[in-house]
Amino acid sequence: MIKIDQPAPHVKRLLINRAEKRNAIDYDVRQSMIEALQQVQADPNCRAIVLGGVEGVFSAGGDVPSMAGLDEAGARARMSHIHSLCRLVADSRVPVVSAVEGFCAGAAVGLALLGDHIVVGKSTKILFPFMRLGLVPDWGTLRTLPARVGVATAKRIMTNGKMILAPEALQIGLADTDAGEEDIMAVAVAQAAQMARLPTEAFYRIKQRLMHPSASFEEEWQREEDDQAALLTGDDFKEGFAAFSEKRDPDFCKPSESNNA
């Protein structure tokens, strides 16, 4: 259900492989992605992840027939399984780039939004179909989407049922990069390769602080102190300072001194 490869150094790519259903996400797809993410996140050489789908389609979203006939216990079990996958993406210690090729609807949009960078292009078609099904957006979308586009815009695009193409997605902040006529996947892989060169621990701490804002300046200053105390004594700062002193670009991908000890 999930194809894994390495299209660039330190970059793992996970592709939903259910072409006959336009890569719709059912239990088996979710479970396969959970296992795939656990596998690549445990790999110390993985410094960035690309999410996508086979045959130029990101995903048609949740597998609607599999939602029918559920009782409350079944509905809750389904959501619990979804959230296990959501946590792995949202809490990833390495950058996650979503290559939104072709059709991307509902749950698939939620999955893409849980990542750190969204790439769209000429073929991209984004849709929020929840209202037509009598459902609310899930996969954390009511948190991730307003954080990107604002509450008013989020409400509009989640209720009007209109397709969103790449130019609008970029304009409103739903996407980060519009590949235009270029190959969306190739641009996403290049973006992931660039992000793989970031200092992983600093990136993860920034991500956590942005996802979970401080309630006050006092709390924020304490978090700043904790983060900088950890990072100033770490290997990435040693490399960053050495590069600064030597007037060169830092290489955060090389094995750390602690790993060589």
Side-chain angles (χ1 to χ4, degrees), residues 198-218:
L198 296 172
T200 301
E201 186 62 24
F203 169 81
Y204 180 67
R205 288 172 182 265
I206 288 172
K207 177 176 175 175
Q208 289 297 308
R209 296 259 295 279
L210 290 173
M211 287 197 306
H212 309 288
S214 301
S216 66
F217 271 121
E218 290 301 327

Side-chain angles (χ1 to χ4, degrees), residues 8 43 47 58 90 95 132 134 138 150 153 156-157 161 168 189 223 242:
D43 182 351
R47 296 179 59 89
F58 189 79
R132 295 178 64 179
D138 46 20
T153 300
R156 172 176 60 81
I157 64 180
E168 181 183 359
V189 169
R223 294 171 77 183

Side-chain angles (χ1 to χ4, degrees), residues 6-18:
Q6 183 171 312
H10 304 292
V11 176
K12 294 292 187 180
R13 177 167 53 187
L14 278 58
L15 300 177
I16 302 173
N17 186 21
R18 199 185 179 207

Side-chain angles (χ1 to χ4, degrees), residues 4-86:
I4 305 174
D5 66 1
Q6 183 171 312
H10 304 292
V11 176
K12 294 292 187 180
R13 177 167 53 187
L14 278 58
L15 300 177
I16 302 173
N17 186 21
R18 199 185 179 207
E20 72 281 3
K21 295 292 185 180
R22 290 200 296 178
N23 298 326
I25 302 170
D26 62 1
Y27 178 91
D28 290 337
V29 170
R30 294 196 304 268
Q31 185 60 33
S32 294
M33 184 165 284
I34 287 171
E35 294 169 5
L37 283 166
Q38 290 172 334
Q39 176 185 326
V40 301
Q41 289 174 349
D43 182 351
N45 292 314
C46 174
R47 296 179 59 89
I49 296 169
V50 174
L51 299 180
V54 300
E55 297 192 10
V57 176
F58 189 79
S59 170
D63 187 72
V64 177
S66 69
M67 304 177 198
L70 296 175
D71 59 13
E72 182 176 346
R76 290 187 180 277
R78 178 178 179 276
M79 293 311 304
S80 179
H81 194 240
I82 287 170
H83 294 156
S84 295
L85 172 53
C86 290

